[in-house]
Amino acid sequence: MWLINTEEQAESPFTFRILPGAIKTIGRAPASDFRIDAALVSRLHCRLTAGAAELEVVDLESTNGTFVNGARVERAVLKSGDRLSVGKIEFVVSRAAKNAEVAEDPKDADLQDADPHHMDPRLTETRKGER
């Protein structure tokens, strides 16, 4: 599983989870899989395609561009530690440990599809409680 999240001190914290084989869009539009209603984010900003070993981002002709590690890209393969910027929102990409995927509760296995416009509320609560 891939995790894409903002830094803990971010003004608007986001955490998105993507399982291998999934294709998700990021944007402001209600039809976006991962909705970010923020300045400089296009309606359909970029697309993420998750594989078992790689995560690809493709810019969907956004007005303000998609950036990986500070460089504007049309398409890029992301790895753990890379920084993905959409509008003024910067995400850190990470790969969940294999043990975390195995230990995951089966009923939560596809949480990113349960409510595609919001982050996992359990992760939000954990973050708030840690502050």
Side-chain angles (χ1 to χ4, degrees):
M1 173 178 23
W2 290 94
L3 299 173
I4 301 165
N5 58 295
T6 54
E7 299 284 346
E8 278 194 42
Q9 67 272 17
E11 185 177 316
S12 299
F14 290 97
T15 297
F16 300 127
R17 299 168 19 168
I18 307 174
L19 295 173
I23 298 172
K24 302 292 180 183
T25 55
I26 294 177
R28 275 192 350 254
S32 299
D33 297 303
F34 298 141
R35 188 169 180 213
I36 301 173
D37 193 12
L40 307 178
V41 176
S42 293
R43 286 177 287 151
L44 283 176
H45 200 100
C46 62
R47 180 180 65 236
L48 298 167
T49 303
E54 64 182 29
L55 179 64
E56 179 186 54
V57 63
V58 176
D59 183 77
L60 298 176
E61 299 181 10
S62 65
T63 302
N64 296 300
T66 298
F67 293 79
V68 175
N69 299 324
R72 189 172 184 156
V73 298
E74 289 183 24
R75 174 184 303 258
V77 174
L78 304 170
K79 60 185 182 306
S80 284
D82 281 347
R83 295 187 175 273
L84 171 65
S85 298
V86 176
K88 291 186 175 187
I89 308 293
E90 184 175 74
F91 297 95
V92 177
V93 176
S94 62
R95 181 102 170 98
K98 277 253 187 228
N99 293 344
E101 289 182 49
V102 172
E104 185 177 343
D105 186 342
K107 72 178 192 284
D108 293 337
D110 215 16
L111 255 181
Q112 80 277 5
D113 290 328
D115 187 356
H117 304 296
H118 294 86
M119 64 191 124
D120 181 347
R122 292 174 301 147
L123 296 174
T124 306
E125 292 304 317
T126 301
R127 286 176 180 252
K128 289 178 184 173
E130 290 176 353
R131 288 188 179 164

